[in-house]
Amino acid sequence: MGERRSNRVFWTYVGILGVGGLVLTALIVLNRPALREGATREAQQNLDAAAAAALRVGGGGASLQTADRYGLRDALPDLLLIDPDQASNKPNIVSVYATPDRWVGSARAITGGCYWVRILPSGDLEKGTGPDCSAEAVATAAADGWPTP
């Protein structure tokens, strides 16, 4: 009979891969809150930028109707602006509702939550969340603020 061969090299690689897999899994689990916060923050920052642009385009609130999706296109080239009856499904897609005295923008975060911002006739901002992510649907919704991620 011949010599018996050792499996030590094989088990060394399996052990290294197993430990690496456990470390990777632990890092993913520990960083999930940070990922969720970043995904939420992207939608909120896009809405803040859209509201600021709406105030500039609308003359500080004098006539927000000009801050519709076409009026904001040049001010927000990185965002896709859609009609108020269409629901956003990504953070960089903002549904826009503009009337002479009210402006609303809504965007869905990667986490699935919908965030919106509304400019009132006074120029004040209201922020909220909800299940429907079309600007038209949230134009009259109760403002509950943005939760801290």
Side-chain angles (χ1 to χ4, degrees):
M1 294 232 159
E3 286 183 42
R4 187 173 165 115
R5 296 176 71 190
S6 172
N7 294 1
R8 189 169 39 181
V9 172
F10 171 78
W11 289 111
T12 301
Y13 283 118
V14 168
I16 290 171
L17 290 173
V19 169
L22 288 173
V23 169
L24 184 60
T25 301
L27 289 173
I28 290 170
V29 168
L30 293 174
N31 286 314
R32 281 195 79 181
L35 294 173
R36 184 176 305 274
E37 181 180 332
T40 301
R41 187 169 294 142
E42 181 183 7
Q44 292 173 346
Q45 287 175 340
N46 288 342
L47 289 170
D48 283 338
L55 283 170
R56 282 192 311 274
V57 170
S63 179
L64 293 168
Q65 190 166 9
T66 58
D68 62 1
R69 65 179 273 206
Y70 302 107
L72 293 175
R73 191 176 7 198
D74 291 336
L76 301 166
D78 295 338
L79 299 179
L80 174 61
L81 305 169
I82 59 177
D83 287 329
D85 59 337
Q86 296 176 311
S88 169
N89 58 3
K90 292 183 179 177
N92 63 338
I93 298 175
V94 178
S95 180
V96 176
Y97 176 81
T99 65
D101 62 347
R102 183 177 297 241
W103 183 91
V104 180
S106 61
R108 187 168 303 279
I110 293 172
T111 58
C114 180
Y115 296 87
W116 55 265
V117 62
R118 179 169 47 218
I119 302 173
L120 301 174
S122 64
D124 293 335
L125 292 181
E126 289 183 333
K127 297 179 178 184
T129 60
D132 194 343
C133 218
S134 70
E136 190 173 67
V138 299
T140 57
D144 56 1
W146 286 344
T148 304

